[in-house]
Amino acid sequence: MDGAASFCGSFCHNIPSICDSALLRVLLVIVSLLCADVEALQVIGGSVTVEQGGTAILPCYVIDTTDDLTQITWQRRTREKPHNDNLLTVLPREGAQFVNGGDDRFKYIGNFNNKNGTLQFSNVALKDEGSYTCIFTLFPSGNQKTEIPLNLLGMKKHFI
Ligand SMILES: *[C@@H]1O[C@H](CO)[C@@H](O)[C@H](O)[C@H]1NC(C)=O
């Protein structure tokens, strides 16, 4: 990143004569546009498969940003409730709080300072199958989110 920045900065100082050419000026604009796009914020999630009654880890964290994180929000859309519903919020001081009634099968195991919103979800039932959305409220980027599909495996087969 530093190499790219100093290359972009010093290019015209070192070779002033060719910077007079219009064509090269266009080229320099392209190079500087490429150089401006070195940091790309990303929310990392994933897809999760779990057995009925098992424990799922819903991974979610942000990389490549120096933004300030003000809140993490989890929403869910499941077989039981097929519309998006707020599940819980995580605030820097208050920690994790349920929004629409508690469900103590969920445990926040991420780390706010590391911009990690990971949830642990135990005793997963078929009705919980669906999509879990984690939203990071960042400044100045605004809300950044990703959806994590949660799939249930069929009942474990018991051989007698
Ligand atoms: C996020 O938190 C989870 C649970 O504590 C941990 O397993 C994972 O390694 C963390 N990920 C990052 C990128 O910090």
Side-chain angles (χ1 to χ4, degrees):
M1 223 190 286
D2 284 340
S6 61
F7 167 75
C8 295
S10 62
F11 195 84
C12 271
H13 287 291
N14 295 340
I15 326 170
S17 58
I18 49 170
C19 286
D20 291 337
S21 144
L23 186 65
L24 271 159
R25 227 175 285 165
V26 171
L27 197 72
L28 277 174
V29 169
I30 293 167
V31 168
S32 61
L33 282 176
L34 290 174
C35 290
D37 197 25
V38 283
E39 188 182 84
L41 182 158
Q42 259 186 296
V43 182
I44 309 293
S47 145
V48 180
T49 301
V50 65
E51 285 179 354
Q52 286 193 47
T55 297
I57 303 292
L58 306 176
C60 190
Y61 54 90
V62 190
I63 58 163
D64 291 338
T65 181
T66 53
D67 276 16
D68 288 326
L69 177 61
T70 53
Q71 181 173 316
I72 305 170
T73 308
W74 277 95
Q75 297 179 334
R76 63 175 158 180
R77 191 172 68 240
T78 61
R79 280 174 184 269
E80 189 185 33
K81 287 182 178 175
H83 54 275
N84 239 359
D85 236 357
N86 283 334
L87 171 63
L88 60 80
T89 59
V90 189
L91 293 164
R93 283 165 187 259
E94 291 84 348
Q97 287 176 323
F98 288 102
V99 181
N100 283 314
D103 185 339
D104 56 18
R105 297 177 301 157
F106 289 94
K107 192 178 167 201
Y108 173 57
I109 59 165
N111 182 311
F112 198 89
N113 291 328
N114 294 342
K115 300 188 175 84
N116 186 339
T118 302
L119 277 190
Q120 186 187 67
F121 182 12
S122 55
N123 204 7
V124 180
L126 188 59
K127 67 179 168 67
D128 301 312
E129 193 168 59
S131 184
Y132 291 73
T133 305
C134 101
I135 305 162
F136 289 89
T137 305
L138 295 160
F139 182 82
S141 304
N143 282 0
Q144 304 289 333
K145 63 181 178 179
T146 193
E147 273 191 38
I148 294 135
L150 178 69
N151 304 301
L152 267 281
L153 285 178
M155 290 283 276
K156 232 190 210 168
K157 291 187 177 65
H158 296 283
F159 297 98
I160 308 167

